[in-house]
Amino acid sequence: MTSLDSRHDFGPPQGLLSEINVTPFIDVMLVLLIIFMVAAPLMMVGVPLKLPKTTAQTVSPPHQPVVVSLTRDGHLFVGQEETSPAMLSESLAGMVKGNPDLVVYVRADKTVDYGSIMDLLGKVGAGGVSRLSLVAEGQTLPDGTP
C-alpha cells in the first residue's frame, strides 16, 4: 500500500455546494452605506421652489455679541476697551439704539464676589440690554462627560 490510502478521496467534492459566500455582499453593502451616509446631507440642501415676491424688509444678519468682562481687580471691559462702571450703562444704551437685538455676554473672574456680579448685571440691564448671557468655562466631569 502507498502512503495515500485509496479509501480517502482528496479530490474535488462530488456533489454541488449549496453555500453562498456572503463576504463580497457585505463589502458592497458597507460601501453603499457609506456612500448614502455622505450623499444624504448633500441631497437635503433645499427643495426647489418659486417663492412669491414681498415688500417686507429683509432680516439683517446677526451682529457680533458685545462681551463685558469684570476682572478680579474690579476692572471693567467692554470688548477690549476698559471702561468705568459709571460709563457702562451709557455705552451699552448707545449700542442698543443702533441695534435693538444686541446680545451681551458677561464674563467675570471666578474670584469676584456675587454682589459685584449682580451690580454689573444691573448696570447692563440699565443700559437697555434685554438679551444677555453669562459665560463660563466648560468642565469635564470625572466620568468623562462634559
Side-chain angles (χ1 to χ4, degrees), residues 21-140:
N21 188 3
V22 295
T23 304
F25 176 71
I26 292 172
D27 290 343
V28 169
M29 293 306 294
L30 288 175
V31 169
L32 288 174
L33 177 67
I34 292 171
I35 289 171
F36 285 125
M37 286 174 55
V38 170
L42 298 176
M43 292 186 289
M44 295 296 215
V45 171
V47 177
L49 298 174
K50 292 184 180 178
L51 297 174
K53 303 284 184 197
T54 182
T55 58
Q57 243 182 350
T58 59
V59 178
S60 62
H63 297 279
Q64 290 284 50
V66 174
V67 179
V68 177
S69 305
L70 181 62
T71 65
R72 84 173 75 182
D73 302 331
H75 296 282
L76 192 59
F77 291 86
V78 175
Q80 298 294 326
E81 297 180 24
E82 188 170 1
T83 185
S84 68
M87 294 298 297
L88 177 64
S89 294
E90 293 176 22
S91 174
L92 290 175
M95 291 179 192
V96 169
K97 283 182 184 174
N99 177 17
D101 294 329
L102 180 72
V103 178
V104 174
Y105 290 167
V106 176
R107 301 172 59 229
D109 193 272
K110 68 180 180 179
T111 60
V112 175
D113 65 272
Y114 184 72
S116 298
I117 295 173
M118 291 307 294
D119 185 45
L120 173 61
L121 293 177
K123 286 180 175 38
V124 170
V129 174
S130 60
R131 299 176 63 193
L132 112 99
S133 297
L134 299 174
V135 178
E137 206 172 279
Q139 179 179 357
T140 304

